[in-house]
Amino acid sequence: MQIVTVKEVVEDDRPEVSMKTLFNEAIIEGGRTLMGTVSIPAGARIPLEGTGAHDQDEYGLVLKGSIVTMSGGEEYRVSSGQATFIPRGEEHWAYNDGQEDCEIVWVLVNR
């Protein structure tokens, strides 16, 4: 077993949000999964412009707050207690239009 303490993990270089990668291929030899957290402050958008996409399937669990997100050309509101799935290659973005930070646990899975 490997245990990681979130507070001790150095943030990824993302100026608009607080993102931390907890597990990746460098930590788990031969791993096919990346896992991390992101805190999106009120008024922040990720990515800053346009859309993003991954080579992996993306799973997310909103722990706190809510976001407006676009995935696959449709907009959604995702709130605390809801989980999401975005297929690999699908363009998406997220915007926190609320008054509090939105905290999410994310997992990227290589098929």
Side-chain angles (χ1 to χ4, degrees):
M1 174 185 287
Q2 286 188 281
I3 299 172
V4 174
T5 302
V6 176
K7 290 182 181 180
E8 296 174 0
V9 174
V10 176
E11 289 185 15
D12 297 349
D13 187 20
R14 291 285 194 110
E16 68 276 16
V17 299
S18 172
M19 185 174 294
K20 296 181 177 187
T21 301
L22 306 176
F23 295 102
N24 61 23
E25 294 93 345
I27 296 170
I28 307 296
E29 184 178 338
R32 296 178 30 196
T33 303
L34 292 85
M35 178 184 184
T37 64
V38 63
S39 180
I40 305 171
R45 184 183 191 281
I46 183 172
L48 286 174
E49 297 177 0
T51 60
H54 310 285
D55 292 333
Q56 307 92 349
D57 290 331
E58 178 179 340
Y59 299 85
L61 174 61
V62 179
L63 301 176
K64 175 184 165 190
S66 68
I67 55 170
V68 174
T69 185
M70 185 284 298
S71 185
E74 293 189 43
E75 284 193 22
Y76 304 89
R77 172 160 305 277
V78 185
S79 301
S80 177
Q82 293 184 309
T84 61
F85 168 72
I86 302 171
R88 66 180 177 186
E90 187 164 285
E91 294 185 353
H92 59 283
W93 54 258
Y95 172 67
N96 183 347
D97 64 345
Q99 300 298 313
E100 66 177 333
D101 291 356
C102 180
E103 297 179 4
I104 301 170
V105 173
W106 54 265
V107 179
L108 299 178
V109 179
N110 288 301
R111 292 187 199 189

